[in-house]
Amino acid sequence: MRVNKKYSCLPAEEKGIHIINIRAIEDIGYDQHESTLLNSLSKNPDADCKYGLYFRDGKRKVDYILVYHYKKSSAGKTLTRRVHHNDSSARSTKQDQPLPGKGVQLEMGESEPHVDYHEDDKRFRREEYEGNLVEAGLELERDEDTKIHGVGFVKIHAPWNVLCREAEFLKLKMPTKKMYQINQTHGLLKKINSVIQKITEPIQPKVAEHKPQTVKRLSYPFSREKQHLFDLSDRDSFFDSKTRSTIVYEILKRTTCTKAKYSMGITSLLANGVYSAAYPLHDGDYEGENVEPNDRKLLCEEWASYGVFYKYQPIDLVRKYFGEKIGLYFAWLGVYTQMLIPASIVGIIVFLYGCATVDENIPSMEMCDQRNNITMCPLCDRTCSYWKMSSACATARASHLFDNPATVFFSVFMALWAATFMEHWKRKQMRLNYRWDLTGFEEEEDHPRAEYEAKVLEKSLRKEHKHKETDKEKLTWKDRFPAYLTNFVGIIFMVGLTFAIVFGVIIYRISTAAALAISSTPSGRSSVRVTVTATAVIINLVVIIILDEVYGCIARWLTQIEVPKTDKNFEERLIFKAFLLKFVNAYTPIFYVAFFKGRFVGRPGDYVYIFHSFRMEECAPGGCLMELCIQLSIIMLGKQLIQNNLFEIGIPKMKKFIRYMKLKRRRSLDHEEHMKKKQRYEVDYNLEPFAGLTPEYMEMIIQFGFVTLFVASFPLAPLFALLNNIIEIRLDAKKFVTELRRPVAVRAKDIGIWYNILRGIGKLAVIINAFVISFTSDFIPRLVYLYMYSENGTMHGFVNHTLSSFNVSDFQAGTAPNDPMDLGYEVQICRYKDYREPPWSENKYDISKDFWAVLAARLAFVIVFQNLVMFMSDFVDWIIPDIPKDISQQIHKEKVLMVEVFMREEQGKLQMLETWKDKDKKKGENCNNHSPRLSRSHSGSLSSCHSYPLDV
C-alpha cells in the first residue's frame, strides 16, 4: 500500500529528537489483520483518486508534481509499506498533519538506515522547502511506495483561496458574467463567409473550441474584491488545469528555503539535485479501452495524428492545454505552412515554364549543336585534355530549367511573399491576442536563474571574507568579462572551423576531379563534374548535420558561462548564438558555389593555384547556377529528411524502447509491482522532459532561409518545404502530446526574437537574390548581348560571344595536356569562358571592354532590383494594417462595455447609499415625533434609533 503523508510546516526537529504523529502510531499494522483483510476486499483506492490525478481523498486535484530520489534500507522499506494513511481522517488544519518527509521512525540504532551527508542535506532542504510551501497555502501529499524504486513523489494541490490570491497577483484575465455579441459581417461578405465555411467544413477539426463564436465573455483581471463580476457557479472548472499549474509554478519559483545559507527556489533545488524533476500532470491517458474523455485524448485524435494532416489545427484547444507560448508556435507554423501553398504553386509554374521552353532556348541549342565544333581548354593541368563543348549539353539544358526570365519574376514574387507573410502573421497574432485575452498583457521580469543566484552568492562570500559590504550584490560586466571574451573567441573559432571545412571540401573537389580525369574509361571522364559535385554535396550535408548538433551544445555552453540573470535573457542569448553558428554552418557551402566558385580562376597560361599545385575550380559552360541548385536541393532535403524528421522520430523511439526494456527487466524482478497499474505521475515521469521551443523554431527558421535566400536558383524549394511542414506539424504535435511531459503553460503575446530574425532574413533575401540573378546566372549577360551586340535582335551567337580564345602555344611549361591528340586532331586555339582579348590582339588576354559593360549592367541591376523590391515590400508592409479593423473595433467595444459595467456598479452603490440615507432620515423623524415623557421602553427604542446609522 502506498505511503501518503499530508503535512504542514512545523518547527524543524532538533537533532536526535523525532516528533511522531500520534495518529500514525495506530496505523502501524502489526496486529491489524482484520482491517488489512477488509481493505484488500474494498474498492481499489487507486481508482478513487483516478490513478494519481487526485489526492487519496479523491476530491483534491493534483496540480503539480515534485520528484526526488531517496535511499533507504530494506528494513526501512518494509516498515514504510506497512504505514498507510486513513483517507477518512484527512484534516485541513496544519496541526493534524505529519511533518514534511517524516515517516514513523524506530528508536533502534542497528535498524536505522544509514544516510550519507549529501542525502541528509537534501532531505533537510526538502523538508524546509515543503514546509514553506504549506505556509504559502498549498496542500501536499507524499508517495514513496511506487513502481519506480528509489523515487518519491510529492503531489501538490492549490486550494481555492490560493488560486484566487495568485490569480490576482498575476493579473490573470478571467471571463466575467457579462457576455456581448461579436460583430458579424453583413451583405455579400456574410454570404461569402458562409460559403467558405461550408466548403472548408470537412477540413475543420471536430473540436468545440474551433467552432466560430458569435458571443464572447467580457474578460477582466481577477480580483477577490470583485468576485461578484465573475461566473463562479462551477469553481472546479473556473481555473482550468493549465492555469492551476501556472499558479503553482509561480509559487514554487517564489518560495525559498534558506538552510543552504542563501535562498533557493525550485529552479535552484532542481539544479542542485534536491529534486530530480518538477512538472504538471497530463489530463489522462490518450489511448486504450475505457479511457475517460479528456483534452489530451481529443488532441491526440484531432491534432496529433497523421490521418488528419489535411485538417486545420485546433489552436484554441492547443492553447488551452499547453498555454499561449506553445499555442503561438503552432499557430505561426500553421500560418507559415498555409502561405507556402501559393509560393509552391508559383514555383511549380516557373519550373514548368523552364521545362516547356528548354527546346526553344537558343544558347543551349548552340551548345548542344555538334556542328559548331567548339574546342574547350583543359579543366586541369597535364592529365586533362581538350574537350568538346557539346559534351556539356545536358548541363546546359538542365540549367535553363532554373535560369530563365521567369526566375527573376519569381524572386520578386518571393520577396513580396515574405513581406506579406510577416504582415499576415502580425494580423493573425492580434486576432489570437484578442481571442485569448492577451490584449494589454505585459511580461514582467522573471525570477533570477539558479546559476545566477549561485554566482551572486559566490561573489558576496568573497566580499564577506574581505569584510566588505554585501548588500544588493549583482553581476557586473567586469564579472562577466572572461565569459564575454570566451564567447567572442569561441564564436570566431567556430566560424573559422566552418570555413576550414568548406575549404577542405574544395580541395577534395579539385583533387578528385584531377584523379578522375586520368580514368581510362571514357564514361568515367565524361561524368567527372557530376560525380565530384554529388559526392562533395553529400560530404557537406554530413558535416552540416554533425556540426549542427555540436554547435547547439557549444552555443548552450557559451550562454551558460555568461550567467544571464533571467530565463528570458538566457533564451534570447542562446537563440542568437545558435542561429549565428547554424546559419554559417548551413549556408557557407551554398555561398561559396553562388558567389565565389569560378570567380578567381585566372585564365589558361596564368591560372590561380592553391598550395602551388591545385587549380581553382571553374563553373560549367552553362554557369554555376545548376550546381547551386543541386547543392541547395540536396542540403535542404537532406536536413529535412535526416535531421528534422528521422532524428525527431528515431531518437524518441529509441529512448522509449530503452525505457521499455528497463521496465521489463524490473517487472520480471517484481511481479507484484508489475500487476499494479501505474499512477499518472509515474507514467509522466517516464516521459521526456520538455526542452523548450528553441530547437523547433530554429529548424523552421533555417528552412525559411532556404525558401527565401536562394529561391532564384531553386524554385521548387517552397514545394519541398510545404511537404515537410505538413509532416512536421503532426510530428511535433504527436511529440508534445505523447512523448513529452506536460510543459508549464507560459503566457506570451508574440513569438519574441524570432520575429526580428524572420524580418532580417526577409531583407537579406532581397539582396542575395539580386546578386544571384546578377552574378551567378547568365540573365544579365544575355540582356547585354541582346540589346548591345546582337546583329539581328536574337540570341544567336551568344555562346560564342561569351567565350574567349587561347593559343595553346602560350601554356606554361608543364601545364599543357599530356595527350594533345585526344580529340583526334591537333588543337591550335582552344576556348574558355571569359571576356578577354584574343591572342592576336595587341593587349592579348587582357580584360575586354565587354567585361566592363556586363559588370556595369550587373551592378545597375542589383541596385535597381534591391531598391525596387525593398520599396514594394515596405509598401505592402504599410498598406496592410497590423491590427484588423474588426479586432480593433472589438477591443474598443470591450473597453466601453467594461466602463459600463463599472458605472452601473457605482450607480447601484450610490442608489443603495441614498436608500439607506432615506431610511435613516425617516427613522430620525419618527424618533423626533415621540413625546418627551418616554417610558423606559421608549427610551430604549430611541437609543436604538440613534444607533442605527452606526450599525450601517
Side-chain angles (χ1 to χ4, degrees), residues 757-825:
I757 293 175
L758 285 168
R759 284 191 67 88
I761 291 177
K763 300 294 184 185
L764 183 63
V766 176
I767 301 170
I768 289 179
N769 281 305
F771 277 95
V772 167
I773 294 169
S774 182
F775 286 91
T776 309
S777 74
D778 281 340
F779 178 74
I780 299 301
R782 287 197 202 105
L783 287 181
V784 172
Y785 176 79
L786 186 63
Y787 293 107
M788 290 182 63
Y789 300 104
S790 177
E791 296 177 357
N792 53 7
T794 64
M795 292 301 296
H796 287 289
F798 170 73
V799 174
N800 188 58
H801 178 75
T802 59
L803 297 176
S804 298
S805 300
F806 177 74
N807 193 334
V808 297
S809 61
D810 294 331
F811 271 122
Q812 289 181 352
T815 61
N818 294 332
D819 186 11
M821 299 295 291
D822 186 54
L823 294 178
Y825 57 88

Side-chain angles (χ1 to χ4, degrees), residues 888-912:
S888 60
Q889 291 175 350
Q890 298 290 356
I891 293 172
H892 178 70
K893 186 177 181 179
E894 275 195 352
K895 292 179 180 178
V896 172
L897 288 173
M898 187 56 67
V899 171
E900 289 180 1
V901 168
F902 284 115
M903 289 298 293
R904 287 176 187 170
E905 187 178 357
E906 291 297 321
Q907 290 174 1
K909 289 180 181 179
L910 290 174
Q911 290 176 0
M912 191 179 295

